[in-house]
């Protein structure tokens, strides 16, 4: 068996080397011909330049019985001009001789490359022998029965459960199945957390609405103050619930591949300026600075790119004190376009940085404050950036502030197409 595989490997190596040798021969022949044509062209051009400008060359011939008396004859409309080619032929012959000698040595040496190619193919040869050896091993159905029994014993709802038969021959299969099982358990846990968090977030406004509805039913009919307070609270909580549901639907459409992008060429500086103007107008408690640069164009969905910037800016405002500065920057970095949102806020703890883009994730400080929000904004921003094949980096220090850096490919490196 091993001899047959080795013979096949040697045959493949010879075939590869032969094809390589003939390709090299064709390349050398083309080079020699090119040298000859270029050198003759230069000689003819230099000869042509010596002819008076008022005469036109009609034809040419090369005459001579040996290289010593070879002559280039140029016939004009007035007369004939002859140019000895002895020195040209001699020089070209020396150059071609040296080149051809090198090429012949190279071709001869290339004939010995079969062994080197065979050594390069050795790992594939060994792999083929191992595969053939495995294929000849008698099939032991009892091992697969043991594996099937071990799989059936794994509880479907138990986290950390693992498949184990104790058979070394099945160790690699067990590892692959356990890896798959772990990913399935993680996905199930994430889905369960998502449902629990969504239920919690929806339950709160519903309970508030129910509470004020009951208060209206008891006292609001005759008390204008209770009536006004209840209506305002119900409207506010309804709006919060609507926003949360819209965010959940956005992420659901994104997960299912139904969130469409309307791709076009966008000047990111103009988009950032629009967000800067809006934020400065509606949020007088913070100072907004902007730094723009020309030629910062990307290919993307205008509305979604603008939404991602708004999310980061609003998040910066939530966790910054009154009077703090929020700086917005757009610039070019090599072959990419970058926008930066930097604040002077409370910052994010190091252990929380890796979780900020998770759905419904909020630090305890944020959850217990009036600025808690739904915990979906950053997840939506991350989805938008990923959908545009962008990257996002977060640098944060507690008590100093946070800097969000988002980068995209330049528009000329992207093809605008709808996803």
């Amino acid at each position: 068996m091993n001899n047959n595989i080795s013979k096949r490997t040697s045959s493949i190596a010879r075939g590869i080397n032969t094809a390589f040798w003939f390709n090299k021969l064709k390349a050398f022949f083309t080079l020699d011909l090119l040298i000859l044509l270029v050198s003759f062209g230069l000689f003819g051009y230099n000869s042509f330049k010596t002819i008076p400008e008022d005469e036109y060359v009609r034809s040419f011939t090369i005459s001579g019985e040996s290289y010593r008396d070879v002559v280039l004859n140029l016939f004009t409309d007035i007369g004939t001009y002859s140019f000895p080619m002895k020195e040209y032929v001699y020089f070209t012959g020396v150059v071609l001789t040296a080149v051809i000698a090198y090429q012949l040595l190279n071709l001869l040496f290339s004939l010995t490359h079969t062994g080197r190619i065979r050594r390069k193919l050795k790992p594939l040869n060994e792999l083929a022998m191992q595969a053939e050896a495995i294929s000849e091993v008698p099939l032991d159905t009892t091992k697969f029965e043991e594996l099937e029994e071990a799989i059936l014993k794994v509880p479907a709802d138990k986290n950390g459960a693992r498949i184990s038969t104790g058979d070394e021959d099945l160790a690699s299969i067990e590892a692959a199945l356990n890896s798959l099982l772990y990913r399935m358990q993680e996905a199930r846990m994430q889905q369960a957390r998502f449902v629990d968090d969504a239920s919690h977030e929806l339950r709160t406004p519903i309970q508030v609405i129910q509470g004020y509805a009951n208060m209206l039913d008891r006292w609001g009919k005759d008390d204008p103050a209770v009536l006004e307070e209840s209506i305002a609270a119900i409207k506010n909580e309804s709006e919060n619930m609507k926003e949360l549901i819209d965010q959940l639907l956005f992420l659901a459409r994104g997960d299912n591949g139904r969130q469409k992008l309307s791709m076009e060429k966008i000047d990111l500086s103009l988009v950032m300026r629009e967000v800067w103007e809006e934020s400065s107008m509606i949020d007088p408690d913070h100072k907004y600075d902007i730094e723009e640069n020309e030629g910062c164009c990307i290919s993307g969905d205008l509305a979604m790119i603008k939404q991602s910037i708004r999310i980061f800016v609003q998040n910066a405002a939530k966790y910054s004190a009154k009077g703090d500065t929020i700086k917005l920057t757009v610039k070019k970095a090599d072959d990419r376009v970058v926008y930066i949102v930097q604040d002077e806020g409370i910052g994010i703890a190091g252990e929380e940085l890796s979780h900020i883009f998770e759905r419904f994730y909020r630090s305890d400080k944020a959850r217990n404050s009036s600025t808690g929000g739904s915990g979906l904004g950053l997840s939506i921003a991350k989805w938008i950036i990923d959908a545009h094949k962008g990257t996002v980096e977060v640098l944060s220090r507690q008590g100093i502030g946070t800097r969000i850096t988002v980068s995209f490919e330049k528009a000329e490196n992207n093809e605008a197409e709808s996803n």
Side-chain angles (χ1 to χ4, degrees):
M1 176 187 68
N2 292 350
N3 289 337
N4 291 335
I5 295 177
S6 297
K7 288 178 180 179
R8 289 200 300 270
T9 305
S10 298
S11 177
I12 293 171
R14 281 194 297 271
I16 293 173
N17 193 42
T18 301
F20 176 75
W21 191 90
F22 276 108
N23 287 335
K24 185 180 287 189
L25 178 64
K26 288 188 289 186
F28 285 163
F29 178 78
T30 302
L31 177 63
D32 297 342
L33 183 60
L34 185 62
I35 292 174
L36 189 61
L37 292 175
V38 170
S39 60
F40 177 75
L42 290 174
F43 180 83
Y45 176 72
N46 291 329
S47 301
F48 175 77
K49 284 172 46 177
T50 63
I51 298 176
E53 293 183 357
D54 57 346
E55 297 184 36
Y56 296 94
V57 176
R58 302 300 183 185
S59 62
F60 74 91
T61 61
I62 298 176
S63 60
E65 296 181 356
S66 66
Y67 80 91
R68 292 185 179 85
D69 55 1
V70 174
V71 175
L72 172 64
N73 301 303
L74 297 180
F75 300 97
T76 69
D77 49 0
I78 296 177
T80 303
Y81 296 86
S82 299
F83 302 92
M85 300 180 65
K86 176 182 177 181
E87 293 183 1
Y88 155 75
V89 173
Y90 179 77
F91 176 76
T92 304
V94 170
V95 172
L96 278 177
T97 300
V99 171
I100 292 173
Y102 167 78
Q103 291 172 346
L104 288 175
L105 289 174
N106 193 292
L107 290 171
L108 288 174
F109 181 71
S110 296
L111 294 175
T112 64
H113 286 175
T114 300
R116 295 175 58 186
I117 295 174
R118 189 186 300 111
R119 286 193 295 274
K120 294 292 184 182
L121 293 175
K122 185 178 179 181
L124 294 177
N125 183 31
E126 293 176 350
L127 181 62
M129 288 190 295
Q130 291 175 2
E132 189 164 342
I134 291 173
S135 67
E136 294 181 358
V137 173
L139 182 63
D140 187 357
T141 58
T142 58
K143 293 183 180 294
F144 293 99
E145 292 173 357
E146 293 174 0
L147 181 62
E148 181 182 4
E149 184 178 352
I151 293 173
L152 293 174
K153 288 181 179 179
V154 176
D157 57 347
K158 182 180 179 181
N159 293 328
R162 291 293 179 265
I163 298 170
S164 177
T165 62
D167 193 324
E168 293 183 357
D169 294 337
L170 299 175
S172 59
I173 299 177
E174 288 176 12
L177 290 174
N178 284 328
S179 176
L180 176 61
L181 185 60
Y182 173 78
R183 292 196 297 270
M184 292 172 63
Q185 291 170 347
E186 282 293 305
R188 186 180 63 81
M189 290 175 62
Q190 289 180 2
Q191 184 181 27
R193 284 197 299 267
F194 182 83
V195 172
D196 289 343
D197 289 337
S199 301
H200 172 78
E201 297 295 338
L202 287 170
R203 187 184 301 115
T204 301
I206 290 174
Q207 288 175 341
V208 172
I209 291 172
Q210 286 179 335
Y212 275 101
N214 291 332
M215 189 167 67
L216 276 174
D217 186 47
R218 294 179 182 178
W219 304 291
K221 299 173 183 177
D222 302 318
D223 190 335
V226 172
L227 178 63
E228 184 177 351
E229 178 187 352
S230 300
I231 291 174
I234 289 173
K235 287 175 64 177
N236 182 59
E237 292 301 325
S238 299
E239 186 63 29
N240 291 339
M241 189 162 60
K242 178 181 178 299
E243 181 182 356
L244 175 60
I245 292 173
D246 288 342
Q247 291 176 335
L248 288 170
L249 289 174
F250 181 96
L251 291 171
R253 286 194 299 267
D255 291 341
N256 294 331
R258 293 186 289 110
Q259 189 70 53
K260 301 299 181 182
L261 303 181
S262 299
M263 306 296 279
E264 58 181 303
K265 190 173 182 180
I266 302 171
D267 188 336
L268 198 56
S269 293
L270 295 180
V271 180
M272 184 64 85
R273 173 161 285 277
E274 290 178 4
V275 176
W276 172 75
E277 291 173 348
E278 294 171 1
S279 301
S280 300
M281 179 178 62
I282 65 177
D283 181 21
D285 293 334
H286 298 94
K287 180 182 177 182
Y288 290 89
D289 289 342
I290 185 170
E291 179 183 335
E292 305 168 88
N293 289 277
E294 295 182 353
C296 294
C297 294
I298 65 171
S299 177
D301 186 301
L302 175 59
M304 289 197 179
I305 293 295
K306 190 173 183 178
Q307 183 180 2
S308 72
I309 299 175
R310 280 174 174 162
I311 289 171
F312 290 129
V313 172
Q314 291 169 0
N315 203 65
K318 279 183 181 180
Y319 303 111
S320 298
K322 289 185 177 181
D324 282 355
T325 298
I326 298 173
K327 184 176 181 181
L328 312 180
T329 305
V330 177
K331 63 181 182 179
K332 289 181 286 188
D334 298 328
D335 61 339
R336 300 183 74 80
V337 174
V338 175
Y339 79 73
I340 301 172
V341 178
Q342 184 168 348
D343 63 55
E344 301 172 344
I346 60 176
I348 306 170
E351 64 272 12
E352 297 174 356
L353 276 176
S354 60
H355 301 287
I356 62 172
F357 293 112
E358 294 178 7
R359 298 175 186 183
F360 293 109
Y361 179 83
R362 292 168 300 182
S363 65
D364 291 338
K365 182 183 293 187
R367 185 178 292 275
N368 293 332
S369 71
S370 60
T371 60
S374 68
L376 289 176
L378 293 180
S379 299
I380 291 174
K382 182 65 164 59
W383 185 93
I384 292 172
I385 295 166
D386 290 343
H388 287 79
K389 297 180 175 59
T391 61
V392 57
E393 296 180 1
V394 182
L395 178 63
S396 186
R397 295 290 185 273
Q398 287 187 294
I400 297 177
T402 301
R403 183 177 69 199
I404 306 288
T405 304
V406 179
S407 70
F408 304 98
E409 289 186 1
K410 288 182 182 178
E412 54 266 28
N413 295 333
N414 270 340
E415 293 183 4
E417 58 182 16
S418 296
N419 290 338

